Amino acid sequence: MKRRVLSLLSLTAVLTLALNSCTIDVNDGLGEGTVINTPGTTESVLNGSGTLSGTITKDLLIKKGNYTLDGIVKITNNATITIEAGATFNVVTSKTSGLVILQDGKINAVGTVSEPIVFTTSTKTPGDWGGITIYGNAPIKAVNGNTQALSEDGNNVYYGGSDANSNSGTMKFVRVEYAGKKIGDGTSETNSMTFYAVGAGTTLENLVSYKGTDDGYEFFGGTVSAKNIVSYGNYDDSFDWQDAWSGQNNTNWYAFQTGTGNFGMEIEASGNADNVAPKITNLTLIRDTNTNPESANSPEISAIQFKKHGTGIFSNVYISGYKNIGSQKAYAVLLQDLATENSQLAANKIKVEPINYVNSDNPGVWGYAYTPATVKTITNASTVTKVSLTAGAWATVDGVNLLAGLQ
């Protein structure tokens, strides 16, 4: 392995440190395995300012302050990136940028209600960057039941493991703004937050994905659960999963679709009938007036869509604002194929109840993109109310309270 030794002053293109020089191994883009070492202590710290880039291979502490995230930053080699409350990252948008936690890396990002950890851009344009991606070691079931698959985010990483309780770290009170970048190859894309085979030992709580051009959150298999999460103004689906994701302890999910938005939730199991249904308690999906799908005359305007043996057991579901657009009809729940109805709905692996479906078209029935075996009806439960989340800086962008729709 070729090594070069740089002083602290010459490291600014990779990691600018504002306190003491420290020891950090980073990949400088000169080729696989090329590592830059900085002389100093054994503790790596960014103390209030600096630039984060390259591949981080040793533990790194990022204290409260203002930073730049430049390019694809990868955490690997059993390193943990620890980010303190109040840290804000301005992401470089002139290149593809993103924060990627690989299978042998870990994130410990814990903000607070009043001092969240924020990733944003100065141009404030949806799709500016690639968001946060975590790769875990939990099981997946991809197409044809494969236990491994290649990521679709441009990183070309194989994901899928055998440890259902694997721990990729903790994220609390973290907000990702203007992500969901489309990759130049025309087939790859990122989301605001993406979880590949992430295990149940990982903690995801009080997260916000704001105005990304793809999904707010997407789960590719794995067993992780999430609590108190907000998807606001994302162009594609607010919540999306495939590869038989099976998180069991999800609660308090809130989506507010505004301007551009497809399904509130897109649910599939990559064609695997044998899957464990994820569970979500307390779910609110709201579609703002004059919200349109990405493509004109698209049928992607319903609240919850199931396809390809997708499953989910949802309780206390509040849905509002899903209206017909042109010839396309909006439903609280839409099934796309008879196979999903026969194998999953009939086995009670698809449940959306109790539900309160208001201010929306086509009440009382589910929608079908085919001729169903049985038409499922809906009885509104007026006792079901919107999710309750604590307001604060963590869910406020440019003075706008993202939780106002819950009031």
Side-chain angles (χ1 to χ4, degrees):
M1 181 181 295
K2 180 179 177 183
R3 294 176 180 270
R4 299 190 306 163
V5 178
L6 300 184
S7 67
L8 175 61
L9 292 177
S10 63
L11 188 59
T12 54
V14 183
L15 262 174
T16 302
L17 307 181
L19 185 58
N20 297 320
S21 62
C22 43
T23 302
I24 303 175
D25 285 354
V26 293
N27 189 312
D28 64 355
L30 299 178
E32 185 176 357
T34 304
V35 175
I36 295 177
N37 288 340
T38 304
T41 69
T42 58
E43 184 181 40
S44 303
V45 181
L46 286 175
N47 193 24
S49 64
T51 297
L52 184 66
S53 69
T55 299
I56 309 302
T57 61
K58 290 186 178 180
D59 291 351
L60 174 64
L61 171 62
I62 301 177
K63 301 182 76 65
K64 177 181 176 179
N66 296 306
Y67 303 92
T68 298
L69 191 153
D70 187 355
I72 300 295
V73 176
K74 296 180 179 180
I75 313 301
T76 189
N77 196 44
N78 296 313
T80 297
I81 182 171
T82 299
I83 307 174
E84 291 187 347
T88 297
F89 296 84
N90 188 6
V91 181
V92 172
T93 60
S94 58
K95 63 180 74 171
T96 298
S97 296
L99 178 60
V100 179
I101 314 301
L102 294 173
Q103 290 97 333
D104 59 350
K106 189 173 287 188
I107 185 170
N108 181 28
V110 180
T112 66
V113 169
S114 59
E115 290 190 310
I117 295 165
V118 179
F119 294 81
T120 191
T121 66
S122 57
T123 53
K124 300 183 182 298
T125 302
D128 268 344
W129 67 294
I132 297 177
T133 301
I134 300 179
Y135 292 91
N137 291 291
I140 71 167
K141 286 185 179 180
V143 175
N144 298 320
N146 290 336
T147 57
Q148 283 195 322
L150 188 65
S151 67
E152 63 176 41
D153 59 354
N155 287 312
N156 295 318
V157 173
Y158 281 94
Y159 64 96
S162 58
D163 184 1
N165 293 313
S166 62
N167 183 356
S168 296
T170 298
M171 289 203 305
K172 293 184 178 182
F173 295 102
V174 176
R175 188 170 72 243
V176 170
E177 302 175 2
Y178 310 112
K181 185 179 180 68
K182 308 295 184 182
I183 309 299
D185 63 8
T187 60
S188 301
E189 57 191 14
T190 63
N191 306 289
S192 294
M193 297 193 198
T194 310
F195 307 104
Y196 284 101
V198 176
T202 306
T203 300
L204 304 176
E205 295 181 7
N206 295 92
L207 308 178
V208 174
S209 62
Y210 178 81
K211 291 193 175 181
T213 52
D214 206 73
D215 303 318
Y217 304 84
E218 185 160 9
F219 300 84
F220 290 84
T223 53
V224 69
S225 295
K227 300 178 181 180
N228 306 329
I229 62 175
V230 177
S231 180
Y232 190 102
N234 292 291
Y235 282 16
D236 196 3
D237 312 307
S238 299
F239 306 107
D240 191 341
W241 63 79
Q242 56 183 287
D243 296 345
W245 171 66
S246 61
Q248 297 295 294
N249 296 298
N250 304 281
T251 188
N252 295 340
W253 286 25
Y254 170 51
F256 187 84
Q257 297 184 276
T258 183
T260 301
N262 294 329
F263 292 116
M265 306 181 79
E266 185 172 36
I267 298 166
E268 64 164 282
S270 304
N272 294 287
D274 181 15
N275 67 72
V276 175
K279 297 177 181 177
I280 301 174
T281 301
N282 302 331
L283 170 66
T284 296
L285 305 174
I286 297 177
R287 193 172 180 91
D288 197 14
T289 304
N290 298 320
T291 298
N292 293 297
E294 288 185 284
S295 299
N297 201 38
S298 169
E300 299 176 275
I301 57 174
S302 291
I304 304 172
Q305 178 206 219
F306 291 96
K307 65 179 181 179
K308 298 180 181 179
H309 295 294
T311 57
I313 299 175
F314 307 148
S315 59
N316 298 319
V317 181
Y318 185 98
I319 297 175
S320 176
Y322 287 81
K323 301 280 191 176
N324 299 338
I325 299 179
S327 61
Q328 302 296 341
K329 293 185 176 181
Y331 296 91
V333 181
L334 173 66
L335 266 64
Q336 287 284 7
D337 55 85
L338 183 60
T340 299
E341 178 186 350
N342 287 340
S343 67
Q344 309 302 343
L345 181 62
N348 293 316
K349 291 168 63 179
I350 296 177
K351 289 185 178 182
V352 185
E353 58 188 32
I355 182 173
N356 196 1
Y357 184 58
V358 301
N359 188 34
S360 300
D361 290 331
N362 305 301
V365 295
W366 286 18
Y368 301 88
Y370 59 95
T371 301
T374 303
V375 175
K376 188 166 179 64
T377 60
I378 297 173
T379 300
N380 268 18
S382 59
T383 55
V384 174
T385 58
K386 300 174 185 177
V387 165
S388 178
L389 294 171
T390 301
W394 76 284
T396 302
V397 178
D398 296 331
V400 176
N401 175 17
L402 306 186
L403 307 183
L406 295 176
Q407 297 173 356

